[in-house]
Amino acid sequence: MQNSDAVTLSAALLAAAGELTRRIHDGVAARGFEGVRPAYGFAFTRLAPDGATVTDLAAHLGVTKQAASQLVDELVRKGYAERCPHPGDARARLVVLTEAGWACTRAADEAAAEAVRAWGEVLGEAEVRELARKLLRIAPDGPIRPVW
């Protein structure tokens, strides 16, 4: 592949990812979740289903423990998460989603499905399934996290 083709492909993938993030964010807001930032969704993927420590969340997001702690403070203040005793470590606190956090997660899932359905209108459902299959072959293992 020529450099120019690689740059074009890179730009297209980044644009698609950015558009997907925007559509999910807009869909969450349209479902009544005001003041939610895209970073919340990246945190929610780690907090669901069983919660996580701030250290776990920091590793998942690729940020410092201090930054993760500030994000958790914000999520707790807005009612999307709560801190509770860690069942396996008396020194640690577990951060878990509240019902509002789970509802926001469900809204994001619905918005993501709508965005992908729109791709099906352009490419056709079979091509979207094939695109997903191919991307899963080349996507790196590990958590999905924002590029800060």
Side-chain angles (χ1 to χ4, degrees), residues 71-89:
L71 179 60
V72 168
D73 288 344
E74 190 175 329
L75 293 173
V76 168
R77 192 171 47 256
K78 291 187 175 186
Y80 293 115
E82 62 186 355
R83 291 181 177 92
C84 57
H86 193 291
D89 183 351

Side-chain angles (χ1 to χ4, degrees), residues 46-102:
R46 180 60 187 93
L47 297 178
D50 299 320
T53 65
V54 169
T55 301
D56 295 335
L57 184 60
H60 173 78
L61 295 174
V63 300
T64 65
K65 284 179 22 179
Q66 180 181 8
S69 183
Q70 290 172 348
L71 179 60
V72 168
D73 288 344
E74 190 175 329
L75 293 173
V76 168
R77 192 171 47 256
K78 291 187 175 186
Y80 293 115
E82 62 186 355
R83 291 181 177 92
C84 57
H86 193 291
D89 183 351
R91 297 169 294 144
R93 302 283 287 167
L94 196 62
V95 181
V96 297
L97 295 178
T98 62
E99 183 50 44
W102 283 109

Side-chain angles (χ1 to χ4, degrees), residues 1-11:
M1 178 174 274
Q2 298 293 320
N3 282 356
S4 60
D5 294 334
V7 169
T8 299
L9 176 58
S10 298

